[in-house]
Amino acid sequence: MTTLLQDSSRAGASVGLKGDRITIRGGRPLRGRIEVKGAKNLVTKAMVAALLGETPSVLRDVPDISDVRVVRGLLEVHGVKVTPGDEEGTLLLDPSAVESAHMADIDAHAGSSRIPILFCGPLLHRLGEAFIPDLGGCRIGDRPIDYHLEVLRQFGAVVEKLPSGIRMTAPNGLSGTKVELPYPSVGATEQVLLTAVRAAGITELRGAAIEPEIMDLINILQKMGAIISVDTDRVIRIEGVDRLEGYTHRALFDRNETASWAAAALATDGDIFVGGARQAEMLTFLNVFRKVGGKFEIHDDGIRFYHPGTPLRPVVIETDVHPGFMTDWQQPLVVALTKAEGVSIVHETVYEQRFGFVDALVDMGATIQIHKECLGGQACRFGQRNFNHSAVISGPSKLHGADIVVPDLRGGFSHLIAALSAEGSSTVSNVGIISRGYEKFITKLEQLGADFVLEG
Ligand code: EPZ
């Protein structure tokens, strides 16, 4: 893949950095302050929500990442006018001329993101039809869309699978329904929300995901005129309305980016202030960070994460849906755990194949074994099913430089951290993937004093 790394490092003004490879001389602690903007996993959905409004929306704190560019492109081919707003990171989204897009145009803008599936409900409401091409996203498991399709059928959509993708129509409109998800899927919960707000009547969703990004999407939909109540025990009720307006909203900060830089501070013996991060949404991560021995300070404008200067401690963790320990946090943390004194266990229960990234860490000198059994916690959906989903990490290990090819977004960031903490030089290829979810990470590495050279 040839990727254009959008970054504004070195030359000051916005420079497109061609090339996909970075050579890192490790061993230098990352120190300094960086800012995080809105969460990738909220902003992209908020952009889709703008399709539902009769008037334009204003979204603030939008990061300059490639997933945002994919969604922007998809909105534009559907007639939504997307323009920059008054302050940096603001987008104006005007859906007044929404129209059907040509399959070829949709295809050209998809393929590297799973967000297109969330266009279905809003497009069915606006146009009575939707076409969804083959979906991309990180290869971290099967990542099926069966919940999405089943939910849309329950609302009354007619789903037709074509060789090039999926076509949907709603000959009789969409009506509220009772939905029970087999697993609290983030995307399927968002699918229900984005479809139910304009469906006729009441929708009751049981088994909903309740991640802070979902709560922020609910905030946005309420601003638009939706009626949504969140009950106890993962039950969400939505009363459909006839009309929604545009919204003005500042996006929730990126919790995954925050956790990634926190882990980078720990792994490199560093000290990183993450501006824009907030405690409430990081509670579970902060508990684990403290158990490992990491230090943090909560400030009004961000969180400082730093290495204690004494040996790190091993932990036993299990990834889970919110309010559990997020699956997206485990990869960067595993790098820090290679430095802890003793045996750590990480049981991945959200995705069945999210330990592919550890091969590179082992090549760099880490001692990590992957097991099919559910270790260190309760039996999960993946137990007894041949999925390598538990990791045993024995530390402390001294990592040494290596040549690494980035496999996916979070795994890729972990490889960067590993290279930054290793002795000697590493070449990390395919780093363009990282710009899917980490805004200006090259600039931020510079700000934190990393020693690296961009190639290509
Ligand atoms: C979202 O993915 C995020 N992506 C992921 O972040 C995140 O890891 C995940 O939620 C969990 O928090 C975006 O928001 C764009 P799910 P999503 O539906 O919505 C199974 C990152 O690195 N499932 O909650 O696709 C699925 O296979 C990315 O930023 C079905 O079986 O995740 C998985 O095992 C990676 N059928 C589980 O549910 C379906 O139809 C949870 O997936 C849908 C999901």
Side-chain angles (χ1 to χ4, degrees), residues 40-41 45 143-147 185-187 328 350-351 410:
K40 164 178 92 72
N41 292 347
K45 296 36 174 318
R143 305 196 75 185
I145 53 167
D146 51 338
Y147 303 166
S185 152
V186 169
D328 303 304
V350 180
Y351 290 112
R410 308 290 167 201

Side-chain angles (χ1 to χ4, degrees), residues 40-41 45 114-115 138 140 143-148 183-188 190 211 256 326-328 350-352 354 381-382 409-410:
K40 164 178 92 72
N41 292 347
K45 296 36 174 318
R114 280 172 66 79
I115 307 297
C138 290
I140 50 181
R143 305 196 75 185
I145 53 167
D146 51 338
Y147 303 166
H148 294 258
Y183 183 81
S185 152
V186 169
E190 292 159 342
E211 269 64 7
N256 295 341
M326 277 199 81
T327 168
D328 303 304
V350 180
Y351 290 112
E352 65 274 32
R354 224 175 179 183
R381 301 175 291 156
F382 308 137
L409 176 62
R410 308 290 167 201

Side-chain angles (χ1 to χ4, degrees), residues 135-167:
L135 296 176
C138 290
R139 297 278 158 239
I140 50 181
D142 240 3
R143 305 196 75 185
I145 53 167
D146 51 338
Y147 303 166
H148 294 258
L149 299 183
E150 182 51 33
V151 160
L152 287 160
R153 280 194 191 100
Q154 280 186 247
F155 278 105
V158 176
V159 178
E160 192 188 349
K161 291 194 182 167
L162 307 174
S164 50
I166 297 168
R167 184 167 179 270

Side-chain angles (χ1 to χ4, degrees), residues 226-238:
I227 301 171
I228 303 171
S229 62
V230 182
D231 297 348
T232 50
D233 296 338
R234 301 188 177 279
V235 179
I236 299 180
R237 280 193 187 77
I238 305 117

Side-chain angles (χ1 to χ4, degrees), residues 40-49 115 118 186 190 194 217:
K40 164 178 92 72
N41 292 347
L42 176 268
V43 165
T44 44
K45 296 36 174 318
M47 291 171 73
V48 178
I115 307 297
L118 294 178
V186 169
E190 292 159 342
L194 291 166
L217 181 62

Side-chain angles (χ1 to χ4, degrees), residues 259-276:
S260 301
W261 290 115
L266 217 46
T268 65
D269 293 345
D271 187 339
I272 302 180
F273 189 99
V274 181

Side-chain angles (χ1 to χ4, degrees), residues 123-281:
L123 286 179
L124 285 170
H125 284 304
R126 297 288 308 231
L127 304 170
E129 63 172 2
F131 174 76
I132 304 303
D134 278 344
L135 296 176
C138 290
R139 297 278 158 239
I140 50 181
D142 240 3
R143 305 196 75 185
I145 53 167
D146 51 338
Y147 303 166
H148 294 258
L149 299 183
E150 182 51 33
V151 160
L152 287 160
R153 280 194 191 100
Q154 280 186 247
F155 278 105
V158 176
V159 178
E160 192 188 349
K161 291 194 182 167
L162 307 174
S164 50
I166 297 168
R167 184 167 179 270
M168 278 177 223
T169 48
N172 303 313
L174 299 176
S175 301
T177 180
K178 283 195 176 196
V179 180
E180 176 140 22
L181 293 178
Y183 183 81
S185 152
V186 169
T189 299
E190 292 159 342
Q191 185 73 263
V192 171
L193 288 168
L194 291 166
T195 308
V197 283
R198 285 280 316 274
I202 295 177
T203 296
E204 181 184 276
L205 170 62
R206 295 190 167 268
I210 50 165
E211 269 64 7
E213 292 77 14
I214 289 173
M215 293 302 136
D216 210 31
L217 181 62
I218 291 175
N219 292 339
I220 289 171
L221 293 169
Q222 189 181 52
K223 284 179 175 177
M224 298 178 79
I227 301 171
I228 303 171
S229 62
V230 182
D231 297 348
T232 50
D233 296 338
R234 301 188 177 279
V235 179
I236 299 180
R237 280 193 187 77
I238 305 117
E239 290 181 36
V241 294
D242 290 342
R243 180 185 166 97
L244 294 170
E245 304 297 331
Y247 62 82
T248 296
H249 191 75
R250 189 172 293 280
L252 173 77
F253 75 98
D254 199 309
R255 299 184 301 142
N256 295 341
E257 186 179 358
T258 301
S260 301
W261 290 115
L266 217 46
T268 65
D269 293 345
D271 187 339
I272 302 180
F273 189 99
V274 181
R278 294 200 311 240
Q279 178 181 17
E281 293 83 2

